[in-house]
Amino acid sequence: MRILHISAECYPAAKAGGLGDVAGALPKYLNKLKASTAVIIPRYRTRWLNEQSYDTLMTGAFMMGQEQILFAIQKVKDNPTGFPLYVADIPGKFDRPGVYMDENGKAHSDELSRAISFQLATLYWINSLEEKPKVLHCHDHHTGLIPFLVRYAYDFVSLKSIPTVFTIHNGEYHGAFAWNKLYLLPAFDSTAGGLLDWDNMIVPLAAAIKCCWKLTTVSPGYMKELQQSFNGLESLLRTESDKSIGILNGIDQQVWNPKKDTFIKTKLKRNFKKYKTANREALYERFNIEPELPIVVFIGRLVREKGAELLPEAISRFIYDGHQLGFIILGTGDPNLHQVFNNMREQFPGKFDAALEYNEGLAHQLYAGADFILMPSLVEPCGLNQMYAMRYGTVPIVRAVGGLKDTVPDVGQEGGGNGIRFEFYSANEIHHALTRAVGMAGDADTLTAVQESNTKMDFSWEQSAKAYLKIYDSIT
């Protein structure tokens, strides 16, 4: 392989968010460009990974402090991903359900040792290869120590010349831990220890920014935002700006294709209205929404960064004011929000409903059947849901932040647009945007024209993959 992606997630094997989608799509499109790309992730006990068969390529052991870590590197046999997929099987660390959380929705208490063990197992495997990758592409803080370790750890001296690319998908999480946990790392050149430090902590995200050869974020807008607001890392990112670039994520248009999607009731053919109507009717079989109401959906994690905390006030007030929209929520997250949304289902029958679960197939049906998708994000590095929605003929209502600002021109702008944007993070702003949606829905021809136009937007990975290939070529 030429490029090895090292990631905590990869769709369909293990996904918690957008990172999984990127790691599952970008390598496929790089391989279409003949870039010889593979991926390695931990071997979680997800349903998909449990259903696969494997070839074991290597077994080994290393010390992590006083703990001996046994591991095996395996290759998924006959997998349909479009690229070689490797897993690091580490007993006691990843042989449990969930990616970052257990079956009860609680974060794993040993997340630090899990992340470090995965990075070390991966590097010991690469160390053993006769033909090593030409580039290591690391993703988010879970792999943030690798650019440092390949340069300065004594065990990996043979990897020192391999260029590293690091991508920030979510700058909210830095992976910081105290210096008293330094014993978890292998011996390294002590003169380089300052590269691990930020604000008297070991910060994998900061170390990756300092040590990688090239740095990317998942949209140009997000790169600019991080340089201004990055939980204390703003100055570091500005210092490293010469090696940094924002590249907008794409979507896998083979997976997200309304003309072939087996998850949706009716595929898109020539008659757009017939397609949209049939998929809307499919939603009535699952959700209690009055048939005459335009449908607004929220799909995603019920957490603050996605703006979920604003939804109860914004939706309740909108319904109380007598506006005519129906709301559907699909997602999991904050248990308090689960309770609130369950109460709202009883409080607003026919106008509000929710499926508080992770359901990939239902998400596809919601994209196909809804009129609007609401994304009031506090932060949104790139955002994929708005691209999926437009692909399926749904109008995004988004806060103008990060990749949402890059991909959703407002319909009120000169020359037209493909969605409704608002600026500030507040329930009042959502209320105003929803009022605009009511106005658009009141003009059926305009709504249909925007929806149908959105299905023709090109958010494919081809252009993004070419941009990454250009980066790889520049450092090898």
Side-chain angles (χ1 to χ4, degrees):
M1 81 196 84
R2 182 187 176 203
I3 315 298
L4 178 63
H5 287 262
I6 308 169
S7 174
E9 302 177 33
C10 181
Y11 177 82
K15 172 186 167 182
L19 168 59
D21 288 311
V22 174
L26 175 56
K28 181 192 303 185
Y29 285 87
L30 286 168
N31 279 336
K32 289 182 178 181
L33 297 174
K34 312 299 182 185
S36 184
T37 306
V39 179
I40 184 167
I41 62 171
R43 185 177 172 183
Y44 308 101
R45 295 308 186 257
T46 64
R47 182 175 179 178
W48 192 92
L49 287 171
N50 286 341
E51 292 173 347
Q52 307 309 307
S53 55
Y54 301 86
D55 287 322
T56 298
L57 307 181
M58 174 193 181
T59 59
F62 57 87
M63 296 302 296
M64 198 167 69
Q66 299 300 310
E67 182 182 10
Q68 185 184 49
I69 304 296
L70 303 176
F71 72 96
I73 302 298
Q74 301 168 324
K75 184 178 182 181
V76 178
K77 296 169 64 175
D78 304 320
N79 84 80
T81 60
F83 52 85
L85 178 61
Y86 301 91
V87 294
D89 190 17
I90 309 175
K93 300 298 182 184
F94 295 98
D95 48 354
R96 57 184 90 160
V99 177
Y100 308 119
M101 298 182 179
D102 62 22
E103 56 268 35
N104 298 316
K106 294 183 178 180
H108 295 299
S109 59
D110 59 346
E111 193 57 40
L112 174 61
S113 67
R114 296 172 87 223
I116 293 176
S117 68
F118 168 58
Q119 292 173 87
L120 293 179
T122 297
L123 290 179
Y124 282 114
W125 168 55
I126 297 170
N127 225 15
S128 73
L129 297 174
E130 286 189 20
E131 187 175 345
K132 296 175 172 52
K134 303 300 183 185
V135 175
L136 302 180
H137 190 150
C138 306
H139 297 268
D140 269 353
H141 75 87
H142 324 92
T143 63
L145 294 171
I146 288 176
F148 172 85
L149 292 172
V150 297
R151 290 177 66 174
Y152 299 107
Y154 298 126
D155 281 357
F156 309 123
V157 64
S158 68
L159 310 181
K160 191 171 185 177
S161 62
I162 299 180
T164 53
V165 176
F166 187 79
T167 298
I168 302 171
H169 298 261
N170 190 336
E172 292 293 296
Y173 304 102
H174 297 183
F177 58 97
W179 274 96
N180 62 10
K181 300 290 186 181
L182 180 63
Y183 67 88
L184 294 172
L185 302 184
F188 59 83
D189 181 351
S190 60
T191 64
L195 293 169
L196 293 171
D197 184 83
W198 194 262
D199 199 20
N200 298 316
M201 298 281 284
I202 297 176
V203 182
L205 193 65
I209 294 170
K210 295 175 186 178
C211 296
C212 70
W213 292 37
K214 290 290 184 179
L215 176 69
T216 74
T217 59
V218 292
S219 71
Y222 191 51
M223 179 67 79
K224 294 176 183 176
E225 288 176 8
L226 290 180
Q227 290 174 345
Q228 301 304 316
S229 178
F230 195 9
N231 294 329
L233 296 182
E234 303 87 359
S235 61
L236 174 60
L237 195 59
R238 290 194 295 268
T239 298
E240 301 289 350
S241 61
D242 286 349
K243 67 179 182 184
S244 306
I245 184 173
I247 300 175
L248 188 69
N249 284 342
I251 62 173
D252 189 336
Q253 294 192 163
Q254 295 177 348
V255 173
W256 298 95
N257 184 353
K259 295 180 179 180
K260 298 181 179 179
D261 195 334
T262 58
F263 283 124
I264 64 178
K265 182 176 181 179
T266 300
K267 298 176 180 61
L268 175 59
K269 296 179 182 177
R270 292 185 179 181
N271 191 320
F272 177 80
K273 285 187 177 181
K274 184 177 180 180
Y275 149 81
K276 204 67 178 174
T277 299
N279 284 299
R280 167 198 286 274
E281 290 174 352
L283 297 182
Y284 299 142
E285 299 172 9
R286 174 66 174 78
F287 297 100
N288 178 22
I289 296 294
E290 296 172 8
E292 68 274 12
L293 296 180
I295 295 176
V296 179
V297 298
F298 174 95
I299 302 171
R301 291 179 294 130
L302 302 179
V303 294
R304 183 170 184 262
E305 66 188 77
K306 297 298 183 183
E309 64 180 358
L310 300 178
L311 296 177
E313 178 186 350
I315 293 173
S316 298
R317 206 178 108 202
F318 199 80
I319 295 174
Y320 276 130
D321 286 351
H323 296 295
Q324 295 301 300
L325 289 176
F327 296 90
I328 298 173
I329 288 177
L330 172 65
T332 63
D334 184 344
N336 293 326
L337 284 175
H338 282 226
Q339 185 60 51
V340 170
F341 291 138
N342 278 325
N343 293 340
M344 288 174 64
R345 294 173 69 186
E346 299 178 7
Q347 188 177 7
F348 304 116
K351 290 183 168 57
F352 177 89
D353 206 347
L356 303 176
E357 60 185 88
Y358 174 83
N359 189 321
E360 190 81 16
L362 185 55
H364 285 238
Q365 187 61 62
L366 285 167
Y367 289 123
D371 297 291
F372 303 92
I373 183 170
L374 177 59
M375 299 180 68
S377 303
L378 178 63
V379 294
E380 195 62 72
C382 174
L384 297 173
N385 287 9
Q386 80 279 14
M387 300 184 198
Y388 300 149
M390 287 186 275
R391 180 89 165 132
Y392 284 69
T394 293
V395 178
I397 305 171
V398 304
R399 181 165 171 258
V401 62
L404 299 179
K405 189 174 183 179
D406 290 333
T407 56
V408 184
D410 192 274
V411 291
Q413 292 181 354
E414 190 173 330
N418 53 3
I420 296 171
R421 288 197 338 205
F422 58 95
E423 293 293 329
F424 301 108
Y425 184 75
S426 73
N428 283 338
E429 284 280 282
I430 295 174
H431 189 283
H432 178 65
L434 291 173
T435 302
R436 291 183 62 197
V438 171
M440 181 184 290
D443 183 344
D445 290 341
T446 297
L447 176 61
T448 299
V450 175
Q451 289 177 329
E452 191 166 10
S453 174
N454 283 355
T455 66
K456 300 177 174 65
M457 304 257 329
D458 182 8
F459 292 112
S460 65
W461 266 109
E462 276 85 354
Q463 295 305 313
S464 302
K466 289 176 182 177
Y468 277 108
L469 189 57
K470 188 175 180 180
I471 288 176
Y472 303 146
D473 289 341
S474 74
I475 55 179
T476 55

